[in-house]
Amino acid sequence: MKKLLLLILTVLSVGSIDAKGQVYAVGDLHVIIINEEAWIYEYVGNSAGISIPAQLTLYGKTYNVTGIFESAFAGNKDIQQIVFPETLKEIHFGAFADCENLWILNFPESLTKIGEYAFTGLKHLQSLCLPNSELEIGNYAFSNCESLFFILVPEKVKSFGDYVFSGCDNLLAAYFLSTSGPAYSHMSFNDIALGTELYYPKGYYDSYSDMWGFSYAYGRTKPAVGLNFVQASGAGTIQLRASAYGYFGATIESIEWESRNEKVATVDQNGRVTTVGPGITDIFCTVTDSNGESESAYCTIKVPENSGVEDVEIAENAIVEYFTLDGLPAGVDRSILAPGIYIRRHGREVSKIIIK
């Protein structure tokens, strides 16, 4: 059961400097100072939720927290969610490797580097919304995240190393917003799930034509939207955030939230979900851009008999797909379908339509 207690890390005490002359104890954090900036060197706690502070004061001097050192949280089985500060610039090699239960990530737009193997082995990570920053992502950074199915890559993301999503066997779709595309190698997206779909700005296929590993590619103009879990708690509340971007510079004009079964859970227009009674419901988020185009994403909330949040699943982005009556794929573009009867699938909603 995902019942999380959010721990706000503050300066509780400053321990003695170790033999290296540069490691400080700050609560459950061990911190080092590099070029007048604070880096998280090691985490020794066992909290399920962590919020890393933007600044730390040591011996009367204040430092911005800008980095996570290699293997700082590696192998921790307790962490389920982490909130990074807006000052963070770099996450180094294997910093969160094999944190099996870590499933909530919130990256700031100050982030410029994710090192090799930084988030490998996050078995419960489902949706990855990268920050809109000049971000460089190292080899195998998100490899073996076996539940990951959705990736959103904003316009400013700079580059991908090799095998970034290797072993992500349930990956369904990746949305890229840049017309020029990030830098990548032929190996960047190798060894991902068979059938993974690539979405890119319509008319800019050449920027993505060598992106091996994806089974299908579609140009699009509709906004890209993914859901981030900002915080969950045992009190039966979940804070969701929509990561939404328009293509070709379109701005997001509106974000609307809806629960399909308010007897199970409600959601307000700030994305805060409150459980009501046992059952299952989908929480939809629909965004509309300045061109008047809309797109939705949704997640599934499961509430057990004794209330509280039992499980949360981010469902696949609610893409509209068409099939023949025999169940054969007919594509995602209604305008090119021949006259006839088709099956229309939008997320979990299935209906028959007639094309004249």
Side-chain angles (χ1 to χ4, degrees):
M1 181 177 295
K2 293 184 174 72
K3 292 191 174 182
L4 310 184
L5 296 175
L6 186 65
L7 173 67
I8 306 298
L9 296 174
T10 56
V11 180
L12 302 178
S13 63
V14 178
S16 59
I17 302 174
D18 74 357
K20 296 179 181 179
Q22 58 182 8
V23 179
Y24 301 81
V26 184
D28 290 333
L29 293 176
H30 290 172
V31 179
I32 61 175
I33 304 302
I34 302 176
N35 296 327
E36 297 299 308
E37 296 177 333
W39 283 60
I40 307 303
Y41 180 75
E42 185 180 18
Y43 175 69
V44 295
N46 58 3
S47 295
I50 300 171
S51 182
I52 296 177
Q55 294 182 324
L56 292 173
T57 300
L58 305 172
Y59 295 110
K61 187 171 183 178
T62 300
Y63 302 89
N64 286 337
V65 177
T66 62
I68 311 291
F69 206 71
E70 63 181 60
S71 303
F73 294 79
N76 188 300
K77 302 298 189 292
D78 297 307
I79 299 174
Q80 296 183 33
Q81 63 176 329
I82 188 161
V83 178
F84 296 111
E86 294 300 323
T87 53
L88 188 67
K89 299 176 183 177
E90 300 183 25
I91 299 173
H92 274 203
F93 180 98
F96 295 89
D98 299 319
C99 291
E100 295 180 356
N101 295 307
L102 179 57
W103 64 295
I104 300 179
L105 298 173
N106 290 279
F107 294 119
E109 294 194 352
S110 57
L111 190 64
T112 59
K113 179 179 180 180
I114 294 178
E116 296 182 359
Y117 296 94
F119 295 95
T120 188
L122 273 58
K123 293 185 177 180
H124 297 288
L125 179 66
Q126 300 169 39
S127 179
L128 177 62
C129 299
L130 295 171
N132 193 22
S133 61
E134 294 188 357
L135 178 64
E136 298 178 359
I137 302 174
N139 301 339
Y140 295 93
F142 294 94
S143 58
N144 297 319
C145 293
E146 58 189 43
S147 298
L148 182 64
F149 71 87
F150 173 84
I151 304 167
L152 194 156
V153 184
E155 184 176 4
K156 293 182 182 179
V157 173
K158 189 173 181 180
S159 65
F160 288 85
D162 293 338
Y163 298 101
V164 174
F165 300 101
S166 173
C168 295
D169 295 333
N170 289 295
L171 189 59
L172 294 176
Y175 288 76
F176 289 79
L177 275 75
S178 173
T179 55
S180 59
Y184 58 88
S185 75
H186 291 318
M187 299 298 188
S188 292
F189 302 97
N190 273 17
D191 197 24
I192 59 178
L194 182 65
T196 302
E197 297 176 339
L198 163 68
Y199 292 86
Y200 60 90
K202 190 172 183 179
Y204 288 86
Y205 176 74
D206 288 347
S207 299
Y208 296 89
S209 59
D210 292 331
M211 198 171 273
W212 296 358
F214 294 96
S215 299
Y216 309 99
Y218 305 100
R220 64 182 277 125
T221 58
K222 288 188 175 183
V225 55
L227 297 184
N228 274 345
F229 290 86
V230 180
Q231 182 180 349
S233 76
T237 61
I238 304 167
Q239 181 63 55
L240 300 175
R241 180 175 65 197
S243 292
Y245 299 91
Y247 280 90
F248 307 107
T251 58
I252 300 301
E253 297 295 302
S254 67
I255 300 177
E256 298 180 357
W257 298 86
E258 177 190 5
S259 170
R260 292 300 170 91
N261 188 345
E262 294 193 342
K263 294 181 179 180
V264 174
T266 61
V267 61
D268 65 20
Q269 292 309 303
N270 294 315
R272 187 171 182 82
V273 178
T274 302
T275 61
V276 178
I280 301 175
T281 187
D282 291 331
I283 304 296
F284 269 76
C285 176
T286 301
V287 302
T288 303
D289 67 16
S290 53
N291 292 326
E293 298 206 58
S294 298
E295 185 60 288
S296 299
Y298 69 96
C299 66
T300 300
I301 306 295
K302 298 180 181 179
V303 183
E305 292 291 338
N306 61 351
S307 192
V309 180
E310 180 181 68
D311 197 9
V312 179
E313 298 175 356
I314 305 178
E316 65 183 90
N317 214 46
I319 303 165
V320 177
E321 299 175 283
Y322 299 94
F323 300 85
T324 68
L325 292 179
D326 296 326
L328 298 176
V332 296
D333 188 348
R334 176 172 177 157
S335 65
I336 65 173
L337 296 180
I341 301 175
Y342 295 87
I343 298 172
R344 177 184 184 271
R345 188 179 76 181
H346 186 203
R348 294 187 177 187
E349 298 181 356
V350 178
S351 59
K352 287 185 179 180
I353 64 167
I354 299 175
I355 303 293
K356 297 181 179 180

